[in-house]
Amino acid sequence: NLNIHNLVVHESDLPNGRGFAPIAWQILEGRSSIIMCLIEAINAVDAGDVWLRHKLRIEEHDLLIDWRERQGLETVKMCLRFVERFWALSGSPQKGKPSFYRRRSSQDSELDTSRSLHDQFNLLRVVDNHRYPAFFHYRGKKYILEIEKDE
């Protein structure tokens, strides 16, 4: 109530993809171009007016550390653009039927041993080696995989 605007950046083309971990879910869907929205924070989840939209490019080789860094840089750019153009901007209500992404859990990092790594590479791109690493079960044991690029 103390501010004129309370803004947040959400990484989906709202109203599609409200909710949690939108970039991870979109990478799992095979997307490489992700719309980021600067929105007004309201009580309803990710439902506020959209002030700015920006396209974020995710490269096919980007792992979590790569796309999160790019996401952070683009978030700062969007916020600066808002501050620079504030008086010329206006928020627009979201149009269309919303869809929602659920919160991801550590169980979402489980690999399927009957599928190839090629088929599951997008899953490897969104796992966090420390907080929710990729894993699989084999012969009654759980195995954890860590992924990093050899630059």
Side-chain angles (χ1 to χ4, degrees):
N1 290 335
L2 297 177
N3 300 310
I4 297 171
H5 295 288
N6 294 287
L7 304 172
V8 295
V9 174
H10 186 79
E11 298 82 7
S12 72
D13 195 7
L14 295 169
N16 297 312
R18 291 179 183 174
F20 299 95
I23 293 181
W25 286 116
Q26 290 174 87
I27 289 171
L28 289 168
E29 293 167 356
R31 294 188 188 160
S32 59
S33 181
I34 293 171
I35 302 297
M36 299 172 62
C37 294
L38 182 68
I39 63 171
E40 193 77 36
I42 63 173
N43 286 335
V45 176
D46 301 326
D49 289 352
V50 177
W51 285 85
L52 291 171
R53 291 183 191 269
H54 177 75
K55 189 179 290 186
L56 172 66
R57 177 88 182 139
I58 305 291
E59 302 298 330
E60 65 183 8
H61 54 78
D62 281 347
L63 300 179
L64 179 128
I65 193 169
D66 305 312
W67 57 259
R68 277 215 174 139
E69 179 180 10
R70 192 170 297 118
Q71 168 197 6
L73 293 171
E74 297 302 327
T75 295
V76 170
K77 286 181 190 176
M78 285 184 80
C79 293
L80 291 173
R81 191 165 9 134
F82 175 83
V83 170
E84 291 167 355
R85 300 178 187 172
F86 170 73
W87 300 109
L89 296 173
S90 61
S92 300
Q94 298 178 28
K95 294 181 181 160
K97 182 176 174 154
S99 63
F100 290 86
Y101 289 122
R102 68 172 173 78
R103 184 183 301 270
R104 291 181 53 76
S105 74
S106 60
Q107 294 307 307
D108 291 310
S109 297
E110 184 171 9
L111 295 165
D112 181 345
T113 57
S114 68
R115 295 178 57 211
S116 71
L117 288 177
H118 176 272
D119 290 344
Q120 299 178 89
F121 187 67
N122 283 340
L123 175 57
L124 292 170
R125 295 173 60 205
V126 301
V127 299
D128 183 314
N129 288 337
H130 305 289
R131 293 178 34 219
Y132 40 91
F135 70 94
F136 62 94
H137 291 95
Y138 185 70
R139 295 184 177 166
K141 299 288 182 184
K142 181 179 179 179
Y143 295 88
I144 295 175
L145 295 179
E146 291 187 7
I147 185 166
E148 64 181 47
K149 280 192 277 188
D150 183 7
E151 301 288 350

